[in-house]
Amino acid sequence: MTAPHLHLPTPFPLAKVVTIATVAALALTAATAVAYRGLPSLGAVRAAGVPVRSADGRIVGQEVAVLTEAPDVPPPITRSYATKVIVNLEVIEKPMRLADSVEYTMWTFGGSVPGSFIRVREGDLVEFHLRNAANSTMPHNIDLHAVTGPGGGARASLTVPGGESVFSFTAMNPGLFVYHCATSPVPMHMANGMYGMILVEPKEGLPKVDREFYVMQSEFYTKGKYGEHGMQTLDMDKGIDEKPTYVVFNGAVGALTGDRALQAKVGERVRLFVGNAGPNLTSSFHVIGEIFDNVYGEGGSSVGEHNVQTTSIPAGGSTIVEFGVEQPGDLVLVDHAIFRAFNKGTLGILHVTGPENRTVFAAIKGIGVTAKGGQ
Ligand SMILES: [Cu+2]
């Protein structure tokens, strides 16, 4: 016999082998026809293969993007169609607070570090206007990781002080994407605060939650030691050695503590859009006292894991985490590479108010327990 791989018993008539093969082929053809008679869902296509996307969808009307400063996020998109979204973003260089009594001349997208949050819908045509303030000392540009195109738009957007560049792209891939300046020397521009995030919402939208926040981790490399007062400048050697003086959320030590803490109520669902600008370190993002119910791994468009304690965010990457809050108190956002949290600034608070549920958690006895049985 000539079909050893089929482990056919011998003797086996050749005609019968041909018949079996023909029937099998016909069955496969029929199954394929059934599968494609109705269009497979987009999710199924995504899971099954590598799509070559089209940017030829219909664009209806236009609007100007609402941009927000961290920790705020623009409202969810309720449109059911693609439109032209005009983004106006200005680069501004200015001294800003890095820590108490510590200043640093930050190079910003929109006047804040991290830069303005941009929210568009999958399929939207984005017309990007990048301006560079007249009093800037340097040319700047932008590389958005959401862009399919050369340099993420970097070359097309190179802008001298006082100038403006315009380019457009179709937001074809849904997800949460980092953007940053990519003007030479790139590490210097990034180390000085030039990064932010753009969310491309999937066509079907994201599940409804009660609170959304924008949190971005990044490093600062200063000539002075951590906490040394006064105006600080970039220490390139520390950057090259990957030894940051500061590792912070939202551009400064304490940007998410005290009066600036994030707020939520017991029973609410919270979504955090978390980015990591680097420039060097990977973040081990963790919220002390909470568990991530959903993690959109690496900021992609679908939930990859449930019930996660700590999620890894590469430099130039992101994650989306969702969780319900079940108990009042302070939840603590950290990079769980823990010296960074306690000695370099990577610490934020999500303050939760509401009724205590002693079934969820109860302090019973010990020096940490108050007379009322609380903490
Ligand atoms: Cu720049």
Side-chain angles (χ1 to χ4, degrees):
M1 284 306 297
T2 54
H5 298 300
L6 293 176
H7 302 291
L8 296 173
T10 50
F12 201 86
L14 184 61
K16 200 163 183 177
V17 174
V18 171
T19 306
I20 289 169
T22 307
V23 169
L26 283 172
L28 191 63
T29 308
T32 308
V34 169
Y36 283 90
R37 195 164 292 151
L39 279 175
S41 74
L42 197 57
V45 170
R46 280 195 190 121
V50 181
V52 176
R53 293 167 192 275
S54 160
D56 298 333
R58 207 160 83 90
I59 301 295
V60 180
Q62 69 175 50
E63 63 186 45
V64 176
V66 174
L67 305 181
T68 60
E69 191 173 313
D72 293 334
V73 180
I77 291 168
T78 53
R79 272 187 285 114
S80 59
Y81 55 90
T83 195
K84 181 164 111 178
V85 180
I86 298 165
V87 176
N88 293 305
L89 195 57
E90 185 178 32
V91 173
I92 300 165
E93 302 173 1
K94 62 175 183 180
M96 292 177 73
R97 176 187 171 277
L98 176 55
D100 287 342
S101 304
V102 182
E103 297 238 306
Y104 190 99
T105 298
M106 308 232 182
W107 299 353
T108 76
F109 283 109
S112 63
V113 176
S116 306
F117 196 100
I118 306 164
R119 187 169 197 157
V120 301
R121 180 181 178 272
E122 179 185 359
D124 281 349
L125 175 65
V126 181
E127 185 179 281
F128 209 101
H129 296 243
L130 188 73
R131 297 189 184 88
N132 189 357
N135 64 351
S136 289
T137 59
M138 301 284 265
H140 297 288
N141 66 2
I142 192 166
D143 165 359
L144 300 113
H145 293 180
V147 168
T148 302
R155 189 165 180 177
S157 62
L158 187 61
T159 310
V160 296
E164 180 188 20
S165 298
V166 184
F167 66 101
S168 73
F169 68 96
T170 298
M172 295 193 291
N173 297 69
L176 177 62
F177 298 93
V178 167
Y179 66 76
H180 60 90
C181 184
T183 304
S184 181
V186 180
M188 175 188 287
H189 285 250
M190 292 192 67
N192 283 347
M194 299 201 76
Y195 38 78
M197 286 206 289
I198 175 170
L199 173 68
V200 182
E201 268 202 58
K203 283 177 179 164
E204 60 275 19
L206 291 168
K208 188 171 167 16
V209 292
D210 303 292
R211 309 263 178 174
E212 292 184 327
F213 298 110
Y214 168 21
V215 178
M216 196 162 194
Q217 179 171 326
S218 63
E219 301 130 34
F220 284 89
Y221 299 82
T222 59
K223 297 271 190 203
K225 287 185 173 173
Y226 178 87
E228 192 171 310
H229 290 183
M231 178 62 76
Q232 292 296 323
T233 54
L234 174 64
D235 186 326
M236 275 298 274
D237 289 336
K238 282 188 185 174
I240 292 164
D241 291 344
E242 304 188 11
K243 288 186 173 160
T245 329
Y246 296 83
V247 186
V248 295
F249 290 132
N250 289 358
V253 176
L256 294 175
T257 61
D259 293 345
R260 295 181 286 258
L262 306 177
Q263 304 287 333
K265 295 192 179 87
V266 169
E268 289 185 331
R269 296 157 300 178
V270 175
R271 175 179 296 130
L272 303 180
F273 295 107
V274 192
N276 181 17
N280 286 315
L281 305 179
T282 294
S283 172
S284 302
F285 185 69
H286 176 80
V287 175
I288 299 172
E290 190 50 76
I291 294 152
F292 304 142
D293 291 298
N294 300 323
V295 175
Y296 298 66
E298 294 167 359
S301 59
S302 58
V303 174
E305 279 307 334
H306 300 287
N307 308 316
V308 171
Q309 60 195 301
T310 301
T311 191
S312 191
I313 316 175
S318 71
T319 191
I320 305 172
V321 299
E322 297 168 344
F323 48 89
V325 284
E326 294 87 2
Q327 191 73 347
D330 282 345
L331 302 175
V332 188
L333 285 62
V334 295
D335 180 337
H336 214 296
I338 210 70
F339 273 99
R340 297 175 195 166
F342 290 94
N343 299 82
K344 295 190 171 184
T346 333
L347 193 144
I349 300 290
L350 171 57
H351 182 65
V352 182
T353 55
E356 201 178 353
N357 183 340
R358 289 182 62 82
T359 311
V360 174
F361 181 84
I364 296 169
K365 181 184 175 183
I367 58 168
V369 183
T370 66
K372 286 184 184 167
Q375 294 178 89

